[in-house]
Amino acid sequence: MDTERLLRRYQAGERNFRGVKLEGVELRGVDLSGIKLNGAILRRADLREVKLYRANLQGANLYAADLRGVDLRKANLRGANLNEADLRGADLRQASLHEASLNEADLRNSDLHKAKLKRADLSAAQITDGQLAKAKSLKGAIMPDGAVHK
């Protein structure tokens, strides 16, 4: 699927794009609130400043995606692959990141207030202790230093 087709269908009211392949797509600054992209392939996608409020990205592949400044408030990212993703300045408040993989992800200046990171893999992620302290749950998460959170 190409960008124009996705946006046209979304604007027509369609929300379910489960499993869509959008590798390397550029969707900067658009509002896709409530979209269902579970299982979607968004590797290396440019999603800067995209509004994904309450989006379902469960199990999505966002490897090395550019997610700077993205709005992922209350989004479902359970089991998503966010390895090497650039999430600088992302709004992840109340997002569900249970069992998500964030290896080497850049989370500098992202807001994790009440985010759920239970059993998430944050190995070598760029994130501060202050950011992690704002998360709602970290039980079983692999921390940037490799330790497992109790």
Side-chain angles (χ1 to χ4, degrees):
M1 179 178 296
D2 63 27
T3 306
E4 293 78 27
R5 186 172 174 206
L6 173 90
L7 293 174
R8 193 171 48 251
R9 288 171 56 184
Y10 180 86
Q11 290 166 356
E14 189 174 342
R15 294 295 179 264
N16 192 351
F17 297 92
R18 175 183 289 187
V20 72
K21 291 179 177 69
L22 293 166
E23 189 161 357
V25 73
E26 184 177 314
L27 284 168
R28 289 168 48 178
V30 298
D31 186 346
L32 297 173
S33 294
I35 196 167
K36 292 179 173 78
L37 289 165
N38 34 325
I41 307 297
L42 294 156
R43 292 171 53 89
R44 301 190 191 286
D46 184 347
L47 302 172
R48 283 179 277 175
E49 305 293 330
V50 171
K51 187 171 183 176
L52 290 165
Y53 175 73
R54 288 191 182 268
N56 185 346
L57 291 150
Q58 183 172 345
N61 185 343
L62 292 149
Y63 171 81
D66 190 342
L67 298 160
R68 286 177 284 171
V70 71
D71 180 355
L72 285 162
R73 288 173 299 139
K74 298 185 179 182
N76 179 359
L77 291 149
R78 184 181 200 113
N81 176 356
L82 291 154
N83 293 336
E84 298 183 33
D86 189 342
L87 288 148
R88 286 178 287 169
D91 191 343
L92 292 157
R93 288 178 288 166
Q94 298 180 34
S96 175
L97 291 149
H98 292 294
E99 300 170 350
S101 187
L102 294 136
N103 291 305
E104 298 183 36
D106 191 342
L107 291 146
R108 289 177 289 175
N109 299 314
S110 61
D111 189 345
L112 292 166
H113 185 76
K114 293 190 179 179
K116 300 165 196 90
L117 291 154
K118 195 173 185 181
R119 292 187 302 280
D121 185 351
L122 295 157
S123 300
Q126 294 180 50
I127 190 168
T128 66
D129 290 341
Q131 286 172 283
L132 290 169
K134 293 179 181 177
K136 183 174 183 174
S137 59
L138 287 165
K139 187 174 182 180
I142 300 170
M143 304 309 280
D145 65 0
V148 177
H149 194 276
K150 300 284 183 193

